[in-house]
Amino acid sequence: MTVVVPSSYRRIVLASRPRGAVLPENFRLETVAVPALADGQLLIRNHYLSLDPYMRGRMSAGKSYAASQALDETMIGGTVGEVVASNHAGFAVGEFVGGMLGWAEMGVSDGLLLRKLDISKIALSAYLGAAGMPGMAAWYGFNKIMQAKAGETIVVSAASGAVGSVVGQLAKLRGCRAVGIAGGAEKCAYVVDELGFDACVDYKAGNLAADLKAATPDGVDAIFENVGGECFDAALGRSNAFGRVALCGMMAGYDGSDVSIRSARALLINRLTLRGFIITEHQDCWPEGLAELGGLIATGQLKYRESVAQGLASAPDTFIGLLKGLNFGKQLVKLI
Amino acid sequence: MTVVVPSSYRRIVLASRPRGAVLPENFRLETVAVPALADGQLLIRNHYLSLDPYMRGRMSAGKSYAASQALDETMIGGTVGEVVASNHAGFAVGEFVGGMLGWAEMGVSDGLLLRKLDISKIALSAYLGAAGMPGMAAWYGFNKIMQAKAGETIVVSAASGAVGSVVGQLAKLRGCRAVGIAGGAEKCAYVVDELGFDACVDYKAGNLAADLKAATPDGVDAIFENVGGECFDAALGRSNAFGRVALCGMMAGYDGSDVSIRSARALLINRLTLRGFIITEHQDCWPEGLAELGGLIATGQLKYRESVAQGLASAPDTFIGLLKGLNFGKQLVKLI
């Protein structure tokens, strides 16, 4: 296989930290030289970049899951791509790999955190969504925290998104009543008609609490929370005794908005168990989870939807849109 | 033993449901006839009535842990007393028993929910405090939810109270750093000087967050929450990764005040596990817990303090004071 390796590639670095809402000027597009590979290194051309809400937390100097994203360094991010040069015995040119090479067209790796990807039955891009980190977040929260049984009712916010869509479909496969919360009639229709949820409430319609009550006549036994704020309060307000809450994200607060839990009394009165988690800390579960998710995708039992932006330069605006919920399904940037 | 059984006794019933703060007129003192005992029944003269914050929840028509207190019925409450007449083969006149006979000088029981009390090493009143339900709430939350290890830092609110005082002492016995939150310099001094906590922060002093930060230089690994509101937010703001929260009460909200969790992001960022619980639902743990607590009390390793009001008629005002934090230690009403 002949691969032409260019002498330079483009990347996006964090130029400044946002104060409140993320702005395009918080990012800077740069062209950098492709470095010479040392022994044990390989060069990867990224096909897709994943954009995810957690990146917003990394952009701030404050405490988040992990260390802040450094200024003037390549923005953190999951990627899938193809090996285009290799001084590593374990990776050959032409192989497909997933990694965390960031907002960049190419990247050098020592192979340590790479995952080889089989694209014979699963599309390459899916490894950034339902067959990757978002899928695992859903799988872990659903199986390890929500522990929902057949016949129970679950609620998941951002239900049309990369994580929420998997939560609801896993719940349906388990025999639960799956109720989503999403923004807008189009997303809600997709969640019910395409993904097979039992109901989906449009939080933008202005009657969130009443609509969720109507959609959960037997209350709510388990909540998967991606958003926080009024979505979370509405779900807590419907909670049953001994309910479980998997707290995966609070997107509503990423721009500094208030995400106070106003239904806090429900945690006590209904004796709820709530656990916050970050999926990268549970690597021991990934082999089992990814095998199950991959099997469901390959057999068509787990559906997903992607929003694909074109070209690295589109990443900042696309990311800003993601934080506003403008995406519809897993947000990707196609790099080649 | 000759016991004179009077022909009537006094009780306090719920006359009306409070709107916001509890008022004396929500209660009514009545005199009722001592009923004739059926086969299998016994008559108990209550020596002490326990006043506890949970009673506030029962006074409302809304959903709480359990069914609402019925209007015009004896107010619910834990009691300890002496058998004064018995048609029950398992209970003899003169024996001491604990039960839930409510705000009343006497009560009839079929023996089912009674606990025989050994007052040779433990004072009768302690069975309503550290050797009873409040002690068990502390024991369960500490051992089953907080799961604190030696060297970890724990924070407990209402630290001088019947529950909080036991939490901190169990933590010290475990080798933890125990930090309390209490209202006023006198209570804080007691928590440190008498109970042996490492520090106690006075939330009334106006610098709760800063003072708690100073008292928890290594952050907080586990929280026992009795109060909610600003106390809870301050503790969450100091939480370490993978911290645990035992949510036992939200006294700050019992009169309708806002107990929103403003530090909600800490639950996610620090991947906390929170569990609300009500100790009467965990009867399987009581034998083990009560045995341990009784042993610690009998040997002087577990200290407690009581606020004792005199006479049944004092119960309403004393209860209102309890909700305002006017008590200092376990609040009791001495009935004879």
Side-chain angles (χ1 to χ4, degrees), chain A residues 261 271 273-275 281, chain B residues 261 271 273-276 281:
Chain A
I261 301 174
R271 294 86 90 204
T273 298
L274 174 152
R275 188 146 74 83
E281 292 177 335
Chain B
I261 301 175
R271 293 87 88 203
T273 298
L274 174 151
R275 188 145 74 84
E281 292 178 334

Side-chain angles (χ1 to χ4, degrees), chain A residues 56-87:
Chain A
R56 176 61 186 87
R58 302 292 183 89
M59 293 176 74
S60 296
K63 200 175 173 188
S64 180
Y65 305 120
S68 290
Q69 162 75 44
L71 286 170
D72 302 319
E73 296 287 343
T74 305
M75 274 291 296
I76 190 174
T79 49
V80 290
E82 187 179 359
V83 179
V84 291
S86 178
N87 282 340

Side-chain angles (χ1 to χ4, degrees), chain B residues 53-117:
Chain B
Y54 77 83
M55 295 165 174
R56 175 61 187 85
R58 302 293 183 90
M59 292 176 74
S60 296
K63 200 173 171 187
S64 181
Y65 305 120
S68 290
Q69 162 74 45
L71 288 171
D72 301 317
E73 295 287 342
T74 306
M75 274 291 297
I76 190 175
T79 49
V80 290
E82 188 178 358
V83 179
V84 291
S86 179
N87 281 342
H88 189 299
F91 293 89
V93 170
E95 287 186 319
F96 289 95
V97 293
M100 294 290 290
L101 299 180
W103 297 24
E105 292 171 329
M106 305 189 81
V108 172
S109 168
D110 59 6
L112 268 186
L113 296 173
L114 292 186
R115 174 181 170 214
K116 290 199 190 190
L117 305 177

Side-chain angles (χ1 to χ4, degrees), chain A residues 100-293:
Chain A
M100 293 290 291
L101 299 179
W103 297 23
E105 293 171 326
M106 305 190 81
V108 172
S109 167
D110 60 6
L112 269 186
L113 297 174
L114 292 186
R115 173 182 170 215
K116 290 199 189 188
L117 305 178
D118 176 359
I119 62 168
S120 64
K121 290 176 186 155
I122 298 176
L124 181 62
S125 62
Y127 288 105
L128 292 174
M133 187 270 284
M136 272 309 302
W139 187 93
Y140 183 88
F142 181 71
N143 286 293
K144 302 298 183 180
I145 301 176
M146 299 170 83
Q147 299 179 24
K149 293 184 284 288
E152 289 192 325
T153 297
I154 71 103
V155 166
V156 54
S157 53
S160 69
V163 178
S165 61
V166 177
V167 172
Q169 291 179 88
L170 291 177
K172 287 306 297 175
L173 288 166
R174 179 74 55 85
C176 302
R177 177 174 176 82
V179 177
I181 300 175
E186 189 188 3
K187 287 182 179 176
C188 285
Y190 166 74
V191 166
V192 173
D193 297 340
E194 298 296 321
L195 300 181
F197 284 47
D198 296 283
C200 189
V201 173
D202 177 7
Y203 71 83
K204 291 182 176 172
N207 303 300
L208 178 53
D211 290 347
L212 188 64
K213 183 175 182 180
T216 58
D218 298 326
V220 173
D221 302 295
I223 299 166
F224 194 106
E225 190 53 49
N226 289 310
V227 175
E230 63 169 352
C231 288
F232 194 22
D233 278 330
L236 286 173
R238 294 296 300 153
S239 57
N240 289 330
F242 307 111
R244 292 80 60 194
V245 181
L247 181 58
C248 181
M250 290 188 140
M251 281 190 65
Y254 286 164
D255 282 350
S257 299
D258 182 27
V259 286
S260 293
I261 301 174
R262 297 184 195 288
S263 301
R265 275 176 56 86
L267 295 166
L268 175 62
I269 291 174
N270 295 331
R271 294 86 90 204
L272 305 186
T273 298
L274 174 152
R275 188 146 74 83
F277 74 105
I278 164 72
I279 190 56
T280 50
E281 292 177 335
H282 302 282
Q283 296 289 342
D284 56 316
C285 293
W286 284 56
E288 180 190 357
L290 290 176
E292 181 179 337
L293 294 166

Side-chain angles (χ1 to χ4, degrees), chain B residues 127-143:
Chain B
Y127 287 105
L128 292 174
M133 187 270 284
M136 270 311 299
W139 187 93
Y140 183 87
F142 181 71
N143 286 292

Side-chain angles (χ1 to χ4, degrees), chain B residues 18-75:
Chain B
R19 300 165 181 258
V22 178
L23 301 173
E25 50 262 44
N26 296 129
F27 304 95
R28 186 174 66 245
L29 185 66
E30 294 182 347
T31 298
V32 291
V34 172
L37 292 185
D39 252 15
Q41 289 188 327
L42 62 157
L43 181 70
I44 299 153
R45 186 196 300 269
N46 297 324
H47 286 217
Y48 291 94
L49 162 67
S50 175
L51 294 180
D52 301 277
Y54 77 83
M55 295 165 174
R56 175 61 187 85
R58 302 293 183 90
M59 292 176 74
S60 296
K63 200 173 171 187
S64 181
Y65 305 120
S68 290
Q69 162 74 45
L71 288 171
D72 301 317
E73 295 287 342
T74 306
M75 274 291 297

